Amino acid sequence: MITMTTFGIVVVGLLMLIGLCGVVVPVLPGVLLIAGAALWWAIGDGASAVHWTVFAVLTVIGVVGTWLKYAVPARRTSRAGASGVSMLSALVLGVVGLFVIPVVGGPIGFVVGIYAAERARLRSHAPAWAATKAALGGFALSMLIEFTTAVLMVGTWAVGVVLTR
């Protein structure tokens, strides 16, 4: 059986740490990077049943967390009155903002997009701002869900490393 050296495990851990940072700084695909590092660990550290079980559990956590990341805030924001067109505008301007102003442009574009679309739709500041605040709350909730997912994934991997040593 081929086993990964301590250096290899440290490299996988560092990749996972970069993945955690990628959740907070939306430049790197955090959860995907963590899952890829775990796959590399599973293959490189012997590919035993424990390795594949840890990888499978970690992947399920990632898939469920990613689904929740989108489903929960979207439901919350739509309950607050934001329209689908407003959410689409926020998403598009958020992506554009990432390229125009690196790192912080995404959230700025998101806020501008939803406020402008809601203001145009409702023709009033107060309800447009209320929908924007609800969308910002949804955005923060989304980041919290994704970060929790990533931490659970890294924790699952850490348990797997302890079990296989």
Side-chain angles (χ1 to χ4, degrees):
M1 178 188 304
I2 301 171
T3 59
M4 191 172 271
T5 64
T6 302
F7 178 73
I9 291 173
V10 169
V11 169
V12 170
L14 288 174
L15 287 171
M16 290 189 174
L17 183 61
I18 292 169
L20 283 171
C21 293
V23 169
V24 179
V25 180
V27 175
L28 300 170
V31 169
L32 193 59
L33 185 59
I34 292 168
L39 177 62
W40 182 38
W41 166 78
I43 293 169
D45 201 29
S48 70
V50 173
H51 290 88
W52 289 118
T53 302
V54 167
F55 177 70
V57 169
L58 184 141
T59 301
V60 167
I61 291 169
V63 169
V64 170
T66 300
W67 177 77
L68 287 172
K69 168 189 163 182
Y70 293 109
V72 172
R75 185 177 316 147
R76 180 179 175 186
T77 303
S78 66
R79 265 195 247 140
S83 71
V85 172
S86 298
M87 294 305 295
L88 182 61
S89 298
L91 181 64
V92 168
L93 283 180
V95 170
V96 169
L98 277 175
F99 293 104
V100 174
I101 309 170
V103 181
V104 297
I108 292 170
F110 182 85
V111 171
V112 169
I114 197 151
Y115 179 78
E118 285 296 301
R119 177 71 190 228
R121 182 175 76 93
L122 301 171
R123 308 262 189 246
S124 177
H125 168 74
W129 184 243
T132 303
K133 288 192 303 186
L136 282 173
F139 182 76
L141 181 59
S142 175
M143 283 187 67
L144 178 64
I145 291 169
E146 185 177 18
F147 189 75
T148 302
T149 298
V151 168
L152 287 172
M153 291 171 73
V154 172
T156 301
W157 169 76
V159 168
V161 169
V162 169
L163 290 175
T164 58
R165 292 287 151 217

